[in-house]
Each structure stands twice: as structure tokens, then as C-alpha cells.
Amino acid sequence: MSTLKTAAQFFALRTLVRGYALMGDPYAGVMASPAHRDPYAMYEKVRAKGDMVRSRMGAYVTPSREICDSVLRDNRFVTATFDEASMVPITLVKDGEKIVNPVQDSFLMKNPPDHTRLRKLVQPFFTPRALKDRTASIQKIVTDHLDRLGDRFDVVSEFASQVPIQVIADLLGVPDENKDLFARWGSSLAETLDGVWSHQQLKDLHATIIEYNDFIDVLIDERRRNPQDDIVSHLVQEHHDLSREDLVATTGLLLFAGFETTVNLISNGVLKAFENPHTIAPLSQSPEYAEGFVEEVLRLDPPVQYTIRWPKERLELAGVSLPKGMPVMLMLAAANRDPRVFDNPLVFDPTRSNAREHLAFSAGIHYCIGAGLSRIEGTLALHELFKRFPNLAADGPVTRRKSKLIRGALRLPVRAGETERSLAVN
Ligand code: HEM
């Protein structure tokens, strides 16, 4: 496709979605409004319109926890790749061969039976037993990174992103010297989860995917020759029949799904602590309180704000007749504030007894495989950070990510010694 044609398509798509967003359309509002600083007010406007709100863009939007949960568990609904779902195709072909896209070719975007087959291959690395064995090494990663921090630092780049990338690199078997490269690809891929909105973004995505494909090919060869105790070695040694496409996509999925999400859990947690200073002492003193704290961050300010499902046949949902293929946007972040499930849903309460009913990790067959791992990472990171720096305070404005799907901070400058906490978000 010519550059001019794709650029024109992107321009048309952006203009259309922004136009609808300005008219108050809920689907366009979530995808494109500048409300990323605080999308929650907009979600409440959607809630006020009902449980199934029709978008003029040919979709439904639901903020209801019950409906989100039932759609996620209903096998009449499926996921779709960007190419199937978006108006601009983003598949990359090089020298006549398809280049594997770790987002859209992965099992996150597949349906049974392929989804079941591929998920099962990596499941053993995420069992409670496997996570228990990994906890001491995560604790060490957290402590080592805390040791490197000075009196003033950026929480996101110097701590929140360092811990998950080290954890995921160890899990996959990526050598330490490639960690930064890996982190850059993870961020770049995660940005495209929102959809691709410009020709430049498409070009950057393609460059990332090609680099990632080249890198992982080398790692796969190396682990074939010299297996270690990691996921890539396990896949190449135990599953000889696995295609290269499935191998590259599965490892890439773990990288991008496990990285940016957990970074944002940690930075959203720091922000919640600053906004609720009474939580800092118990957070730093009690690991049990820290677990509840993380659960409540996941509920009130989740790193993944929504997901989408498509009915594979005509069906009835909450009194609405949905034609085959009509997208339903499941507003996970709004569902987590559903007043029919959570008392005083806007209050941040780390001791809330049913916080775990949130949908931050989705539900059904695509329920986050890394939920347990990120709970451990988030709990240790936040507990140890405030234990080490009990007077941690904001040190300048917070910059938010532009993404609507992934919510978190891009920069969160802090100083270790201050006692007065003030917060400005731009
Ligand atoms: C706070 C951190 C995290 C959050 C909020 C999160 C959220 C999610 C959500 C919402 C989904 C499902 C999307 C959907 O239903 O369409 C998902 C799926 C997934 N997540 Fe996570 N995730 C986190 C951490 C991790 C980690 C640490 C890993 C792995 C190391 C991981 C790996 C995956 C994988 C492989 C899937 C696909 C599951 C499937 O399709 O069967 N995630 N995650």
C-alpha cells in the first residue's frame, strides 16, 4: 500500500473518530477523546446512559460489571485481530513473507482450539508453585533496583519499568545486555494495543517487529544449542512441532503483556499512595496490607482499561439484539466502579473485602496468565519502595501516557526525603 494512501486512510480514521467523540459518542470517546488525564468522568457519563450503550460507529459499549463478565465467559463471543477489526490493515510482509506480529499473531488474539493449544504450552510457568519458586528472585530484583536509586528519581523509568522488564527477561531467558532493547520493544508494541493511528506509528511498529523477529530468531537458535531454565528453552526443547510463527508470537506476547501493564500497576500504585497519604505507613509496614493495596489499585485505576469482543452469531445480550460481528467494548475500568458490586466505588480502600471482584485481569478463557506474577511484583515493589523511602514525595508534574487502553504515568518524578506531598498532573 502506498505511503500516501495509508496516510490518507489514517487521517480519515482519526477525523471520523474524533468527530464522533466530540458528539459524545461513547465508543469514539474511549478510543479518541483527550480525556486520558481522567477518563473516569467520561465513563460515568456512559454509565448514566445505561448498561448497553449504542455507538454510531457500529458498536456497543458496556460499563456493567455483570455484562462484561458474562461476555468474557461466553464462547459465542470471540476476539479479533487488528486487521479483522480495524479499518487500516497493519500486517507486515517482507520479501513476500509475513513478519510475525507478537501482538496480533499471538494467542491473546486467537480463539479455541488454537488459543487453548498455545496457552497450555506456557501455563506451567505461571502456576502457584512456579510463582512461589520465583518470589525470592523477584524480591532480589526489587531490592537491587532500590539500591541504585538516589535522592531524586523518576519512578517510571528508574524503578517501575526496571523491575518487570528484568522479571520477564529472566523468565524468557533474554541475556542482561539485551534488556534495554527488550524494554524499548515492549513499550513500542504496547502502544499499538490502542490501535494504530498514524502512518508514522505504523512505520515505527514495523521497524520494532522486524528487529524483534531478528532478535528472537537468534535467541531461539542459541537456546536450541544451549538450553537453560527459561521459557524459550522449554518451548524449543519440549515442543519441536511448534511453528516459528507461534514461537515468536508467544514469546513476544509474554514480553509486551507482562511488561507495560506491570509498570503501570506500580506507577498507578505510587500515585494512589500520594493521593491517599494515610495508606503509606501501613503499605510500608505490612505485606498483607500491601496485597490489598495492589488489589484496590487494580480495581480503581487498572492498567488495562477496556477490551473488545465480537459475537460470532446473532444473539441477545441484556435485552439488545446483536448482529454477528458487532463489536462490544467491555469497559473493564468502568465495570470496576460498578456501584451494584462495589460499595462507595470511588473510594480508595485497600481493606475492601471484595476488591478481587474487579475485572482488571479480564475473565474467561483470556484471563490474564500473568495475574499472579504481576500481583507479586506489584506488592513487593510498592511495599519495599515505601519501606525504603517512607517520606517519598512528588517532585514535579506527572506526565500521563497518551494511550487510552493502557493507563499509567510516563514520568513520575519524586524525591526521597521530603515530607510534604503535593501532586500536579499534566
Ligand atoms: C498489572 C499487570 C497486568 C494486567 C493489568 C494485565 C491485564 C491483562 C488483561 C486485561 C488481559 C486479557 C485481555 C482480554 O481479555 O482481551 C491479559 C491477558 C494476558 N496477559 Fe496480562 N496483565 C498484566 C500482567 C501480565 C504479566 C506479568 C504477564 C506475563 C508475564 C501477562 C501475560 C498475559 C497473557 C499471555 C495474556 C493473554 C491470555 C490469553 O489470551 O489467554 N500479563 N492481561
Side-chain angles (χ1 to χ4, degrees):
M1 197 181 310
S2 78
T3 304
L4 206 61
K5 192 170 167 204
T6 1
Q9 275 182 309
F10 280 122
F11 179 75
L13 180 62
R14 280 199 308 268
T15 311
L16 181 80
V17 175
R18 281 186 191 147
Y20 278 127
L22 281 173
M23 290 190 283
D25 184 90
Y27 191 80
V30 175
M31 304 287 269
S33 88
H36 60 268
R37 286 171 207 167
D38 179 11
Y40 296 108
M42 193 246 300
Y43 298 169
E44 290 314 315
K45 281 189 190 157
V46 177
R47 197 189 313 281
K49 289 184 184 164
D51 280 346
M52 284 287 284
V53 185
R54 179 79 203 251
S55 154
R56 288 191 211 179
M57 293 185 67
Y60 274 90
V61 171
T62 179
S64 151
R65 191 206 170 280
E66 190 187 335
I67 298 175
C68 286
D69 189 63
S70 75
V71 169
L72 290 165
R73 294 173 193 278
D74 187 336
N75 63 13
R76 294 172 304 163
F77 283 89
V78 290
T79 57
T81 63
F82 292 150
D83 277 7
E84 287 158 349
S86 103
M87 295 174 224
V88 184
I90 59 171
T91 292
L92 174 62
V93 175
K94 190 181 159 200
D95 303 332
E97 279 207 32
K98 184 180 157 194
I99 302 292
V100 181
N101 180 331
V103 179
Q104 73 165 357
D105 296 326
S106 72
F107 65 85
L108 173 67
M109 304 265 179
K110 291 194 193 294
N111 298 297
D114 281 343
H115 169 266
T116 326
R117 171 178 64 84
L118 292 165
R119 182 173 166 123
K120 229 187 244 170
L121 301 182
V122 287
Q123 187 76 58
F125 288 85
F126 298 94
T127 59
R129 178 67 209 260
L131 295 181
K132 197 160 170 256
D133 291 349
R134 208 156 268 277
T135 304
S137 80
I138 300 175
Q139 171 79 54
K140 181 166 180 334
I141 291 170
V142 169
T143 312
D144 286 352
H145 281 100
L146 285 174
D147 289 346
R148 289 177 206 164
L149 297 174
D151 187 46
R152 302 175 101 173
F153 57 93
D154 172 33
V155 168
V156 181
S157 60
E158 293 177 67
F159 182 63
S161 63
Q162 297 296 327
V163 172
I165 201 65
Q166 182 74 59
V167 171
I168 202 75
D170 289 354
L171 199 60
L172 287 170
V174 173
D176 268 5
E177 63 268 26
N178 300 118
K179 221 182 60 189
D180 292 343
L181 203 57
F182 222 55
R184 184 164 61 73
W185 294 331
S187 302
S188 167
L189 284 171
E191 272 177 28
T192 66
L193 283 174
D194 237 8
V196 176
W197 292 94
S198 71
H199 188 65
Q200 186 57 45
Q201 210 190 355
L202 185 63
K203 269 173 63 183
D204 294 346
L205 170 68
H206 286 175
T208 301
I209 293 175
I210 289 174
E211 275 179 33
Y212 181 75
N213 271 253
D214 290 347
F215 170 84
I216 206 80
D217 275 341
V218 173
L219 184 65
I220 288 168
D221 279 351
E222 161 61 23
R223 288 298 182 263
R224 273 211 175 95
R225 285 194 304 269
N226 180 19
Q228 310 279 322
D229 180 19
D230 58 54
I231 292 185
V232 173
S233 300
H234 168 79
L235 292 178
V236 296
Q237 297 296 322
E238 307 293 323
H239 302 282
H240 299 284
D241 52 342
L242 197 60
S243 70
R244 179 189 169 272
E245 172 168 338
D246 284 342
L247 196 50
V248 175
T250 304
T251 49
L253 168 65
L254 293 173
L255 161 65
F256 89 82
F259 174 44
E260 283 292 307
T261 47
T262 313
V263 175
N264 293 312
L265 168 61
I266 298 169
S267 63
N268 290 352
V270 172
L271 287 169
K272 277 285 163 274
F274 287 167
E275 287 164 13
N276 301 274
H278 64 282
T279 62
I280 292 180
L283 171 62
S284 64
Q285 287 155 12
S286 157
E288 291 74 33
Y289 185 90
E291 281 176 17
F293 184 97
V294 162
E295 225 49 60
E296 186 66 342
V297 175
L298 286 163
R299 184 190 71 82
L300 201 59
D301 205 11
V304 178
Q305 297 269 296
Y306 65 87
T307 186
I308 303 177
R309 293 292 188 269
W310 288 257
K312 60 181 180 187
E313 59 200 56
R314 172 173 283 281
L315 52 82
E316 286 285 313
L317 178 69
V320 170
S321 174
L322 285 180
K324 177 183 172 187
M326 163 82 76
V328 182
M329 176 182 273
L330 310 170
M331 302 173 76
L332 306 176
N336 288 356
R337 294 170 174 227
D338 191 328
R340 289 163 293 191
V341 180
F342 302 102
D343 293 340
N344 300 318
L346 308 191
V347 173
F348 181 73
D349 175 8
T351 63
R352 185 184 291 277
S353 59
N354 71 340
R356 268 193 175 234
E357 288 181 44
H358 65 68
L359 294 177
F361 293 121
S362 189
I365 63 166
H366 291 281
Y367 180 77
C368 176
I369 208 170
L373 181 65
S374 58
R375 280 182 165 123
I376 296 172
E377 289 182 56
T379 303
L380 286 174
L382 289 166
H383 173 63
E384 296 292 341
L385 176 70
F386 283 98
K387 193 163 131 189
R388 179 76 61 100
F389 303 115
N391 296 318
L392 199 72
D395 188 28
V398 178
T399 312
R400 284 271 178 198
R401 288 176 193 279
K402 294 264 182 285
S403 168
K404 318 294 182 300
L405 177 85
I406 301 282
R407 178 162 167 83
L410 204 54
R411 270 183 49 77
L412 202 178
V414 291
R415 61 174 73 205
E418 293 276 320
T419 46
E420 200 175 305
R421 296 192 174 81
S422 64
L423 198 61
V425 178
N426 69 1

